[in-house]
Amino acid sequence: MARHLDLRLLAQFQVVCETAKMATAARRLGLSAPAVSQIVQKLERDLGVVLFERSSQGLRLTPAGSILQERASEILGCEEDILGEMDAYRAQLLPKLRIYIAESVARYAMPAIVSELHPVVGHLEVKSGRSTSYVQEFLKGEYDVLISSEGLGDVPGLDRYKICTERLIGLCPAAVPPDRRRLPELVDDLPFIGPGFNSRMHQLIEGYLANQRLDLPRSIECSSVAPILEMVGSGIGWTLSTPLSVAYYQPDPSRIATFELPQPVPARSIFVVVHGGKLLDVPQVIATRSNAAIRRHAGMWPPRLAEALTIPLDVTDG
């Protein structure tokens, strides 16, 4: 008995099942009736079972034949799907690539990524913003590439590329006297304006303030960096943020001042995360271009912002 199925024989078998007559199947296949009979006999020999009961009324499937007909439909359907999927790859390296990139990184990395990938990707879809569900969407396969502070180190089967690390920085109204631009004094003088309660940034900041043993009697919560910076510039309060987020909005230095934070200052890393082994060297290209773009922009930042950002010289999978 054969150890493998011949897909051509299965397709011809399906025609015989549909017609239930050798002569009719022969006309549809463009073969002689004896040739079709030989096809059926060969398939029966290969499988070691009888597939049809033969009578003057035609052919009737045996129980084994019925099972084969059902499974053959599934197999041939899969074959058609596979061939269709392969068609898409004949014109370009990747027919489609879906990327989600965190808003704070998008301004720097997105132009570099798109210009590099556009020639080799048929349909390039790049999304950015302040979504709270992008991690779940990535894990469900709705995105191929994720660029954010979510390294997902506890999820197996992912490749990760660290493109930079950024430490927290302090921001207060420029009108605050230099000798009051310290955490204890700012806590006494102004309310803290922080990110949304459920955000990863909130957790980072909350942990830092707890380690500094600071109690915030007054605070304002805001889910977007732009209005936070506007309130700081208006003298309403102070905040903690990261250099990528702050530089993204280019705050007016005449209205907003940075101040030094007590050590140890926490940091977060930005990663390119992909489902492992599916995109050749594309993830490495994305990480390298993102790294270079951030480095180029950071070279034009104010010193305190640039100093809070660490950019590795080489991007490696890890």
Side-chain angles (χ1 to χ4, degrees), residues 4-5 87-88 155 180 189 229 241-242:
H4 302 283
L5 291 171
D87 283 341
V155 180
R180 302 295 294 178
D189 296 343
L229 295 178
S241 190
T242 58

Side-chain angles (χ1 to χ4, degrees), residues 238-249:
W238 60 279
T239 192
L240 300 178
S241 190
T242 58
L244 285 174
S245 297
V246 174
Y248 181 92
Y249 292 101

Side-chain angles (χ1 to χ4, degrees), residues 12 16 22-37 39:
Q12 293 168 332
V16 177
M22 291 290 186
T24 307
R27 286 195 297 272
R28 286 201 27 198
L29 293 170
L31 301 171
S32 66
V36 174
S37 180
I39 290 170

Side-chain angles (χ1 to χ4, degrees), residues 16-72:
V16 177
C17 293
E18 292 167 5
T19 60
K21 290 184 179 296
M22 291 290 186
T24 307
R27 286 195 297 272
R28 286 201 27 198
L29 293 170
L31 301 171
S32 66
V36 174
S37 180
Q38 290 174 9
I39 290 170
V40 173
Q41 290 172 13
K42 181 178 186 335
L43 193 54
E44 290 179 327
R45 286 197 305 272
D46 288 347
L47 296 174
V49 297
V50 176
L51 298 173
F52 292 103
E53 292 180 350
R54 296 156 175 86
S55 70
S56 58
Q57 283 76 37
L59 303 173
R60 186 172 68 171
L61 284 167
T62 64
S66 296
I67 292 173
L68 180 62
Q69 182 188 29
E70 180 180 347
R71 296 293 186 265

Side-chain angles (χ1 to χ4, degrees), residues 78-99:
C78 290
E79 179 193 32
E80 185 176 347
D81 291 343
I82 291 170
L83 293 174
E85 290 178 15
M86 293 301 102
D87 283 341
Y89 286 86
R90 294 193 180 105
Q92 59 276 311
L93 180 64
L94 290 174
K96 186 175 183 179
L97 186 66
R98 302 158 301 171
I99 302 173

Side-chain angles (χ1 to χ4, degrees), residues 217-262:
R218 297 173 295 167
S219 64
I220 300 169
E221 183 180 309
C222 185
S223 61
S224 180
V225 177
I228 289 177
L229 295 178
E230 184 59 33
M231 285 188 281
V232 172
S234 299
I236 294 174
W238 60 279
T239 192
L240 300 178
S241 190
T242 58
L244 285 174
S245 297
V246 174
Y248 181 92
Y249 292 101
Q250 299 180 317
D252 184 351
S254 68
R255 301 177 63 215
I256 296 179
T258 58
F259 64 90
E260 189 170 348
L261 295 175

Side-chain angles (χ1 to χ4, degrees), residues 108 166 243-244 247-248 294 297-306 309:
Y108 316 106
E166 52 179 354
L244 285 174
Y248 181 92
I294 293 172
H297 281 275
M300 299 179 284
W301 290 355
R304 196 180 292 273
L305 289 185
L309 189 69

